Amino acid sequence: MKPFIRIIIAFAMSFAVLPAAAQIVTTVEHEEVVVNSDSIRRAFDSGPYFGLYKDNYFIFGCPVGEKATKHNSNIKFQISIAQRLTRSTLPFGTYLFLFYSQKCFWNILENSMPMTDLNFNPGIGLTKPLFVRNRFVGKINLIVEHESNGRDGTASRSWNRITLGGSILVDPQIMVHGKFWIPIIDGMENKDILDYCGIYQFGTAFTSLNQRFGLAVTLVKRRGWKMNYNTIVELNYRIFPRDNQYLFLQYYNGYGEGLLAFKEFHSMLRVGLVIKPKLFSDF
């Protein structure tokens, strides 16, 4: 399949799932935006529910401080979706989901426009929405996931994780998140992947009062006692007030941005478009 056809199919999938979150609404109380807990419960209970999981973006850029060339510039895009698998609520108020994310690096300026690294990340797990005093305050995920680049030989990269993560709204405009994992490394060519892709992550996301502007910072702790982190800073601006499409800037500093070159240090600045989940993004 040609690269541009892959892009068209991927973005068609992203736009197709936008209506899935339309039933989640917000209200205004004392000049604060408050998520309606009843609409959240209906969104989870009226499944099967198909929608966005992580951010779906399409961005282009080059290393910070370098002149853009066909050798150091590329497109990075991510497709991420979630499908609820059960109609009824499971014990402890949880829901079973199937997750799938796909991340690709596309050297569009080179001859034949090769896709140099394609990472597949399926998973299955439980999600529990959290309510305090009848207000939705976040969720917890317990997921078994696999990540690989689908290649063989010395270019093969793969590992598995059991992840426990949570996202908490400490304020209507501020969300904090964290994720820890138990790794199961089966790839012969990436036994030291924790030294580069990390052992846990945490971060925060801020949204303006009018819901037009957002800022997110994520830190991924690499293995070891040193203060060594992969850092991701993201800015987004909503293009139209009622849509969830944003102008998007992402700065990545560290290792492990893609599986094939996970040992290479990258300091990349890219801009483009992002389609975000209705409430907040998973990381």
PDB file of all heavy atoms in Angstrom, residues 47-68:
ATOM      1  N   GLY A  47     -22.577   1.596  25.997  1.00  0.00           N
ATOM      2  CA  GLY A  47     -21.695   0.956  25.013  1.00  0.00           C
ATOM      3  C   GLY A  47     -22.392  -0.094  24.170  1.00  0.00           C
ATOM      4  O   GLY A  47     -23.591  -0.339  24.321  1.00  0.00           O
ATOM      5  N   PRO A  48     -21.669  -0.759  23.232  1.00  0.00           N
ATOM      6  CA  PRO A  48     -20.233  -0.577  23.055  1.00  0.00           C
ATOM      7  C   PRO A  48     -19.853   0.858  22.667  1.00  0.00           C
ATOM      8  O   PRO A  48     -20.569   1.509  21.927  1.00  0.00           O
ATOM      9  CB  PRO A  48     -19.878  -1.539  21.916  1.00  0.00           C
ATOM     10  CG  PRO A  48     -20.990  -2.524  21.898  1.00  0.00           C
ATOM     11  CD  PRO A  48     -22.205  -1.767  22.326  1.00  0.00           C
ATOM     12  N   TYR A  49     -18.769   1.319  23.206  1.00  0.00           N
ATOM     13  CA  TYR A  49     -18.316   2.694  23.031  1.00  0.00           C
ATOM     14  C   TYR A  49     -17.003   2.687  22.262  1.00  0.00           C
ATOM     15  O   TYR A  49     -16.027   2.091  22.684  1.00  0.00           O
ATOM     16  CB  TYR A  49     -18.140   3.335  24.404  1.00  0.00           C
ATOM     17  CG  TYR A  49     -17.613   4.744  24.360  1.00  0.00           C
ATOM     18  CD1 TYR A  49     -18.438   5.812  24.052  1.00  0.00           C
ATOM     19  CD2 TYR A  49     -16.282   4.993  24.649  1.00  0.00           C
ATOM     20  CE1 TYR A  49     -17.950   7.101  24.026  1.00  0.00           C
ATOM     21  CE2 TYR A  49     -15.774   6.289  24.618  1.00  0.00           C
ATOM     22  CZ  TYR A  49     -16.627   7.332  24.307  1.00  0.00           C
ATOM     23  OH  TYR A  49     -16.147   8.606  24.277  1.00  0.00           O
ATOM     24  N   PHE A  50     -16.986   3.378  21.113  1.00  0.00           N
ATOM     25  CA  PHE A  50     -15.810   3.434  20.243  1.00  0.00           C
ATOM     26  C   PHE A  50     -15.376   4.879  20.128  1.00  0.00           C
ATOM     27  O   PHE A  50     -16.189   5.749  19.819  1.00  0.00           O
ATOM     28  CB  PHE A  50     -16.177   2.873  18.863  1.00  0.00           C
ATOM     29  CG  PHE A  50     -15.013   2.832  17.901  1.00  0.00           C
ATOM     30  CD1 PHE A  50     -13.900   2.067  18.166  1.00  0.00           C
ATOM     31  CD2 PHE A  50     -15.056   3.560  16.721  1.00  0.00           C
ATOM     32  CE1 PHE A  50     -12.839   2.013  17.276  1.00  0.00           C
ATOM     33  CE2 PHE A  50     -14.001   3.517  15.821  1.00  0.00           C
ATOM     34  CZ  PHE A  50     -12.895   2.738  16.098  1.00  0.00           C
ATOM     35  N   GLY A  51     -14.108   5.149  20.427  1.00  0.00           N
ATOM     36  CA  GLY A  51     -13.670   6.534  20.380  1.00  0.00           C
ATOM     37  C   GLY A  51     -12.164   6.659  20.412  1.00  0.00           C
ATOM     38  O   GLY A  51     -11.433   5.681  20.229  1.00  0.00           O
ATOM     39  N   LEU A  52     -11.711   7.877  20.660  1.00  0.00           N
ATOM     40  CA  LEU A  52     -10.291   8.147  20.702  1.00  0.00           C
ATOM     41  C   LEU A  52      -9.694   7.701  22.041  1.00  0.00           C
ATOM     42  O   LEU A  52     -10.349   7.751  23.070  1.00  0.00           O
ATOM     43  CB  LEU A  52     -10.034   9.633  20.496  1.00  0.00           C
ATOM     44  CG  LEU A  52     -10.574  10.266  19.205  1.00  0.00           C
ATOM     45  CD1 LEU A  52     -10.145  11.725  19.123  1.00  0.00           C
ATOM     46  CD2 LEU A  52     -10.105   9.501  17.982  1.00  0.00           C
ATOM     47  N   TYR A  53      -8.443   7.314  22.011  1.00  0.00           N
ATOM     48  CA  TYR A  53      -7.718   6.903  23.213  1.00  0.00           C
ATOM     49  C   TYR A  53      -6.663   7.963  23.547  1.00  0.00           C
ATOM     50  O   TYR A  53      -6.876   8.809  24.403  1.00  0.00           O
ATOM     51  CB  TYR A  53      -7.095   5.532  22.968  1.00  0.00           C
ATOM     52  CG  TYR A  53      -6.196   5.016  24.063  1.00  0.00           C
ATOM     53  CD1 TYR A  53      -6.481   5.245  25.405  1.00  0.00           C
ATOM     54  CD2 TYR A  53      -5.067   4.268  23.751  1.00  0.00           C
ATOM     55  CE1 TYR A  53      -5.657   4.764  26.404  1.00  0.00           C
ATOM     56  CE2 TYR A  53      -4.234   3.765  24.743  1.00  0.00           C
ATOM     57  CZ  TYR A  53      -4.526   4.017  26.063  1.00  0.00           C
ATOM     58  OH  TYR A  53      -3.691   3.531  27.041  1.00  0.00           O
ATOM     59  N   LYS A  54      -5.545   7.962  22.848  1.00  0.00           N
ATOM     60  CA  LYS A  54      -4.551   9.012  22.981  1.00  0.00           C
ATOM     61  C   LYS A  54      -4.783  10.060  21.889  1.00  0.00           C
ATOM     62  O   LYS A  54      -5.701   9.946  21.082  1.00  0.00           O
ATOM     63  CB  LYS A  54      -3.144   8.417  22.860  1.00  0.00           C
ATOM     64  CG  LYS A  54      -2.824   7.346  23.888  1.00  0.00           C
ATOM     65  CD  LYS A  54      -1.435   6.772  23.670  1.00  0.00           C
ATOM     66  CE  LYS A  54      -1.130   5.661  24.658  1.00  0.00           C
ATOM     67  NZ  LYS A  54       0.227   5.071  24.432  1.00  0.00           N
ATOM     68  N   ASP A  55      -3.930  11.078  21.866  1.00  0.00           N
ATOM     69  CA  ASP A  55      -4.015  12.099  20.821  1.00  0.00           C
ATOM     70  C   ASP A  55      -3.767  11.476  19.442  1.00  0.00           C
ATOM     71  O   ASP A  55      -2.910  10.589  19.290  1.00  0.00           O
ATOM     72  CB  ASP A  55      -2.976  13.192  21.055  1.00  0.00           C
ATOM     73  CG  ASP A  55      -3.354  14.127  22.178  1.00  0.00           C
ATOM     74  OD1 ASP A  55      -4.513  14.072  22.633  1.00  0.00           O
ATOM     75  OD2 ASP A  55      -2.494  14.912  22.615  1.00  0.00           O
ATOM     76  N   ASN A  56      -4.513  11.956  18.449  1.00  0.00           N
ATOM     77  CA  ASN A  56      -4.300  11.574  17.058  1.00  0.00           C
ATOM     78  C   ASN A  56      -3.727  12.793  16.341  1.00  0.00           C
ATOM     79  O   ASN A  56      -4.419  13.810  16.191  1.00  0.00           O
ATOM     80  CB  ASN A  56      -5.613  11.143  16.404  1.00  0.00           C
ATOM     81  CG  ASN A  56      -6.094   9.797  16.897  1.00  0.00           C
ATOM     82  OD1 ASN A  56      -6.121   8.824  16.171  1.00  0.00           O
ATOM     83  ND2 ASN A  56      -6.494   9.743  18.170  1.00  0.00           N
ATOM     84  N   TYR A  57      -2.465  12.720  15.938  1.00  0.00           N
ATOM     85  CA  TYR A  57      -1.823  13.911  15.395  1.00  0.00           C
ATOM     86  C   TYR A  57      -1.045  13.612  14.118  1.00  0.00           C
ATOM     87  O   TYR A  57      -0.725  12.455  13.788  1.00  0.00           O
ATOM     88  CB  TYR A  57      -0.911  14.562  16.428  1.00  0.00           C
ATOM     89  CG  TYR A  57       0.165  13.672  17.023  1.00  0.00           C
ATOM     90  CD1 TYR A  57       1.313  13.329  16.301  1.00  0.00           C
ATOM     91  CD2 TYR A  57       0.038  13.188  18.322  1.00  0.00           C
ATOM     92  CE1 TYR A  57       2.292  12.523  16.849  1.00  0.00           C
ATOM     93  CE2 TYR A  57       1.021  12.389  18.879  1.00  0.00           C
ATOM     94  CZ  TYR A  57       2.140  12.052  18.143  1.00  0.00           C
ATOM     95  OH  TYR A  57       3.114  11.261  18.682  1.00  0.00           O
ATOM     96  N   PHE A  58      -0.727  14.707  13.411  1.00  0.00           N
ATOM     97  CA  PHE A  58       0.036  14.665  12.161  1.00  0.00           C
ATOM     98  C   PHE A  58       0.918  15.903  12.169  1.00  0.00           C
ATOM     99  O   PHE A  58       0.430  17.016  11.990  1.00  0.00           O
ATOM    100  CB  PHE A  58      -0.930  14.687  10.974  1.00  0.00           C
ATOM    101  CG  PHE A  58      -0.294  14.375   9.648  1.00  0.00           C
ATOM    102  CD1 PHE A  58      -0.192  13.069   9.208  1.00  0.00           C
ATOM    103  CD2 PHE A  58       0.172  15.389   8.829  1.00  0.00           C
ATOM    104  CE1 PHE A  58       0.380  12.771   7.985  1.00  0.00           C
ATOM    105  CE2 PHE A  58       0.746  15.111   7.613  1.00  0.00           C
ATOM    106  CZ  PHE A  58       0.847  13.795   7.179  1.00  0.00           C
ATOM    107  N   ILE A  59       2.235  15.734  12.437  1.00  0.00           N
ATOM    108  CA  ILE A  59       3.115  16.876  12.667  1.00  0.00           C
ATOM    109  C   ILE A  59       4.421  16.720  11.879  1.00  0.00           C
ATOM    110  O   ILE A  59       4.872  15.604  11.603  1.00  0.00           O
ATOM    111  CB  ILE A  59       3.429  17.050  14.169  1.00  0.00           C
ATOM    112  CG1 ILE A  59       3.920  15.741  14.794  1.00  0.00           C
ATOM    113  CG2 ILE A  59       2.204  17.558  14.908  1.00  0.00           C
ATOM    114  CD1 ILE A  59       4.253  15.834  16.278  1.00  0.00           C
ATOM    115  N   PHE A  60       5.025  17.849  11.552  1.00  0.00           N
ATOM    116  CA  PHE A  60       6.253  17.874  10.754  1.00  0.00           C
ATOM    117  C   PHE A  60       7.279  18.785  11.428  1.00  0.00           C
ATOM    118  O   PHE A  60       6.920  19.835  11.969  1.00  0.00           O
ATOM    119  CB  PHE A  60       5.967  18.397   9.348  1.00  0.00           C
ATOM    120  CG  PHE A  60       7.202  18.616   8.515  1.00  0.00           C
ATOM    121  CD1 PHE A  60       7.815  17.559   7.867  1.00  0.00           C
ATOM    122  CD2 PHE A  60       7.751  19.881   8.387  1.00  0.00           C
ATOM    123  CE1 PHE A  60       8.954  17.756   7.102  1.00  0.00           C
ATOM    124  CE2 PHE A  60       8.894  20.098   7.619  1.00  0.00           C
ATOM    125  CZ  PHE A  60       9.500  19.016   6.973  1.00  0.00           C
ATOM    126  N   GLY A  61       8.565  18.366  11.396  1.00  0.00           N
ATOM    127  CA  GLY A  61       9.581  19.223  11.981  1.00  0.00           C
ATOM    128  C   GLY A  61      10.974  18.666  11.838  1.00  0.00           C
ATOM    129  O   GLY A  61      11.212  17.683  11.119  1.00  0.00           O
ATOM    130  N   CYS A  62      11.915  19.299  12.544  1.00  0.00           N
ATOM    131  CA  CYS A  62      13.327  18.955  12.454  1.00  0.00           C
ATOM    132  C   CYS A  62      13.968  19.163  13.820  1.00  0.00           C
ATOM    133  O   CYS A  62      13.334  19.696  14.743  1.00  0.00           O
ATOM    134  CB  CYS A  62      14.009  19.809  11.389  1.00  0.00           C
ATOM    135  SG  CYS A  62      14.074  21.567  11.786  1.00  0.00           S
ATOM    136  N   PRO A  63      15.251  18.790  13.989  1.00  0.00           N
ATOM    137  CA  PRO A  63      15.921  18.996  15.279  1.00  0.00           C
ATOM    138  C   PRO A  63      16.033  20.472  15.639  1.00  0.00           C
ATOM    139  O   PRO A  63      16.202  21.336  14.780  1.00  0.00           O
ATOM    140  CB  PRO A  63      17.306  18.371  15.056  1.00  0.00           C
ATOM    141  CG  PRO A  63      17.109  17.386  13.959  1.00  0.00           C
ATOM    142  CD  PRO A  63      16.077  17.996  13.065  1.00  0.00           C
ATOM    143  N   VAL A  64      15.958  20.762  16.935  1.00  0.00           N
ATOM    144  CA  VAL A  64      16.081  22.128  17.434  1.00  0.00           C
ATOM    145  C   VAL A  64      17.493  22.640  17.170  1.00  0.00           C
ATOM    146  O   VAL A  64      18.486  21.951  17.424  1.00  0.00           O
ATOM    147  CB  VAL A  64      15.766  22.182  18.937  1.00  0.00           C
ATOM    148  CG1 VAL A  64      16.024  23.579  19.494  1.00  0.00           C
ATOM    149  CG2 VAL A  64      14.333  21.754  19.197  1.00  0.00           C
ATOM    150  N   GLY A  65      17.589  23.859  16.627  1.00  0.00           N
ATOM    151  CA  GLY A  65      18.879  24.472  16.388  1.00  0.00           C
ATOM    152  C   GLY A  65      19.565  24.053  15.112  1.00  0.00           C
ATOM    153  O   GLY A  65      20.695  24.485  14.844  1.00  0.00           O
ATOM    154  N   GLU A  66      18.917  23.222  14.304  1.00  0.00           N
ATOM    155  CA  GLU A  66      19.495  22.777  13.046  1.00  0.00           C
ATOM    156  C   GLU A  66      18.653  23.257  11.867  1.00  0.00           C
ATOM    157  O   GLU A  66      17.438  23.437  11.989  1.00  0.00           O
ATOM    158  CB  GLU A  66      19.605  21.248  12.999  1.00  0.00           C
ATOM    159  CG  GLU A  66      20.529  20.653  14.029  1.00  0.00           C
ATOM    160  CD  GLU A  66      20.667  19.146  13.870  1.00  0.00           C
ATOM    161  OE1 GLU A  66      20.359  18.640  12.762  1.00  0.00           O
ATOM    162  OE2 GLU A  66      21.076  18.475  14.834  1.00  0.00           O
ATOM    163  N   LYS A  67      19.313  23.452  10.743  1.00  0.00           N
ATOM    164  CA  LYS A  67      18.608  23.801   9.522  1.00  0.00           C
ATOM    165  C   LYS A  67      17.895  22.572   8.982  1.00  0.00           C
ATOM    166  O   LYS A  67      18.467  21.477   8.935  1.00  0.00           O
ATOM    167  CB  LYS A  67      19.590  24.339   8.480  1.00  0.00           C
ATOM    168  CG  LYS A  67      18.930  24.759   7.172  1.00  0.00           C
ATOM    169  CD  LYS A  67      19.964  25.281   6.191  1.00  0.00           C
ATOM    170  CE  LYS A  67      19.303  25.663   4.867  1.00  0.00           C
ATOM    171  NZ  LYS A  67      20.303  26.177   3.883  1.00  0.00           N
ATOM    172  N   ALA A  68      16.649  22.731   8.600  1.00  0.00           N
ATOM    173  CA  ALA A  68      15.863  21.606   8.107  1.00  0.00           C
ATOM    174  C   ALA A  68      16.418  21.108   6.777  1.00  0.00           C
ATOM    175  O   ALA A  68      16.630  21.885   5.841  1.00  0.00           O
ATOM    176  CB  ALA A  68      14.403  22.019   7.944  1.00  0.00           C
TER     177      ALA A  68
END
